Amino acid sequence: MPGLKAVASTILSVAVTFFGLLLVTFLIGRVIPIDPVLVVVGERASPEIYAKAVKELGLDQPIYIQFLDYIGKVLTGDFGKSLLTARPVLEDMARVFPATLELATVATIFGVFLGIPAGVIAAVNQGRWPDHLIRLVALFGYSLPVFWLALIALLVFYSELGWVAGFGRLDIFYEDIVPAVTGMILVDSLLAGDMEVFNNAVSHIILPSAVLGYFSLAYIARMTRSFMLEQLRQEYVTTARVKGLSESRVIWYHALGNVMVPLITVVALSYAFLLEGSVLTETVFAWPGLGFYITNSLLSADLNAVLGGTIVVGAAFIGINLLSDLLYKLVDPRTH
């Protein structure tokens, strides 16, 4: 049956991709110039203690046995303990990932609601000043280093103008007031009906999400422009105009309607890249998310946390790509 074959093919593709992710992270853990045994026992440990730790960690086993053991632990959610927090890495991930998810989601919304209209306007005005202006803005989005833009944004909008809050997700006064249901403060504060906490959270997330969303905006605007230019050359657009349909209906309903199908993949990829590419943004804004956690773990030679974070980001990327494929098939009737 074609349906079962498609499902089997998708499951196999996801399994192979995840296996490749585990293989890469395992190899990174073996080639990185950090001795995991010394990290555990310390540099002043005696040879006997060192040898005992090697055996307990399973590093005396053949490499393929170590890899199989590694796969088994990951599949059961065992990423080891973090040396930085002394807690299981999976527990740390559950604590910090919602912050990254919240930041990436708001940034993607920012990129979608500004990037798609910008791309449409650029395509409709191809070769004229709106097109040149939007392409220039998108070019800056690709070219500017994110840490530099984040620092400038903090200097201007927080330090000088005082329009938004600064570092972190909340002011200290508002921390731990609302119960953590989802881990995303915007959602949790609304569920609790606490608008004061919600407003403070909005003030904190505006700047980092705008900085991160700017790069999403640039990518989405560029791709939307490209897709729209192709659609505006199609015969159905000419036919719609000949029939007397308004230009706005031709552009925003017919042409953009056909563009939305490939744009699903573009938005999904942008969202996935924001989830994995928010490390510098979270570091500059002291945003307690996954990127900030991985950075601190890397600086502390906390290998378990670094590899665990890498696997979580990779798994999220795989999941979002799978979801985009499913949405693509639902929206595009030609795939049925």
Side-chain angles (χ1 to χ4, degrees):
M1 296 175 65
L4 290 177
K5 286 184 178 180
V7 171
S9 176
T10 301
I11 293 174
L12 179 62
S13 176
V14 170
V16 170
T17 305
F18 190 68
F19 177 83
L21 172 65
L22 294 182
L23 179 60
V24 170
T25 54
F26 176 78
L27 293 176
I28 289 174
R30 293 301 180 270
V31 302
I32 197 170
I34 298 175
D35 189 336
V37 181
L38 288 181
V39 171
V40 174
V41 301
E43 296 183 358
R44 297 184 179 180
S46 64
E48 292 78 14
I49 294 177
Y50 183 91
K52 184 179 179 181
V54 168
K55 188 172 183 180
E56 288 180 352
L57 292 173
L59 297 177
D60 59 332
Q61 299 291 328
I63 193 71
Y64 70 92
I65 297 294
Q66 295 182 39
F67 181 54
L68 292 175
D69 183 58
Y70 176 73
I71 292 176
K73 287 182 177 179
V74 169
L75 292 179
T76 57
D78 182 7
F79 296 104
K81 280 194 174 182
S82 167
L83 300 175
L84 192 62
T85 65
R87 290 192 296 263
V89 171
L90 187 62
E91 183 180 315
D92 285 342
M93 295 294 162
R95 177 175 53 86
V96 301
F97 187 69
T100 296
L101 188 65
E102 183 175 45
L103 180 61
T105 301
V106 176
T108 301
I109 292 172
F110 176 87
V112 168
F113 278 90
L114 292 181
I116 291 178
V120 173
I121 293 171
V124 172
N125 295 278
Q126 184 183 14
R128 295 194 287 270
W129 71 264
D131 182 27
H132 296 313
L133 177 61
I134 291 170
R135 291 173 68 186
L136 182 63
V137 171
L139 178 63
F140 279 125
Y142 279 104
S143 306
L144 293 176
V146 64
F147 68 88
W148 180 85
L149 186 62
L151 290 171
I152 294 299
L154 275 171
L155 176 64
V156 175
F157 297 105
Y158 166 63
S159 180
E160 295 296 328
L161 298 176
W163 288 358
V164 294
F167 304 95
R169 300 177 75 189
L170 285 172
D171 291 340
I172 295 177
F173 175 78
Y174 295 104
E175 290 183 357
D176 300 322
I177 291 181
V178 297
V181 178
T182 65
M184 295 181 284
I185 293 178
L186 293 176
V187 177
D188 291 344
S189 58
L190 287 177
L191 291 176
D194 195 325
M195 295 308 297
E196 194 172 352
V197 174
F198 177 79
N199 291 334
N200 188 258
V202 169
S203 181
H204 276 270
I205 202 173
I206 284 176
L207 209 54
S209 64
V211 169
L212 200 58
Y214 180 34
F215 298 93
S216 175
L217 182 156
Y219 175 57
I220 292 174
R222 179 184 174 187
M223 297 305 297
T224 302
R225 177 184 182 275
S226 177
F227 293 149
M228 282 295 295
L229 286 175
E230 182 182 353
Q231 291 300 318
L232 291 175
R233 299 188 189 103
Q234 301 298 316
E235 292 183 0
Y236 77 87
V237 172
T238 305
T239 303
R241 285 169 174 163
V242 169
K243 286 183 176 180
L245 294 180
S246 65
E247 189 67 11
S248 61
R249 183 172 177 81
V250 171
I251 293 169
W252 296 98
Y253 181 76
H254 292 284
L256 184 59
N258 285 325
V259 162
M260 294 308 294
V261 174
L263 269 182
I264 290 175
T265 303
V266 171
V267 172
L269 287 175
S270 174
Y271 188 45
F273 279 122
L274 291 185
L275 282 176
E276 70 168 347
S278 59
V279 174
L280 290 176
T281 304
E282 290 186 1
T283 302
V284 172
F285 287 96
W287 189 266
L290 186 58
F292 190 62
Y293 175 77
I294 292 175
T295 301
N296 288 338
S297 300
L298 187 60
L299 294 175
S300 304
D302 190 350
L303 197 57
N304 286 339
V306 172
L307 295 181
T310 304
I311 291 172
V312 168
V313 171
F317 199 98
I318 294 170
I320 291 172
N321 274 280
L322 179 61
L323 180 61
S324 71
D325 288 342
L326 294 175
L327 289 175
Y328 192 102
K329 291 176 182 178
L330 288 174
V331 173
D332 191 354
R334 293 170 298 181
T335 61
H336 299 328

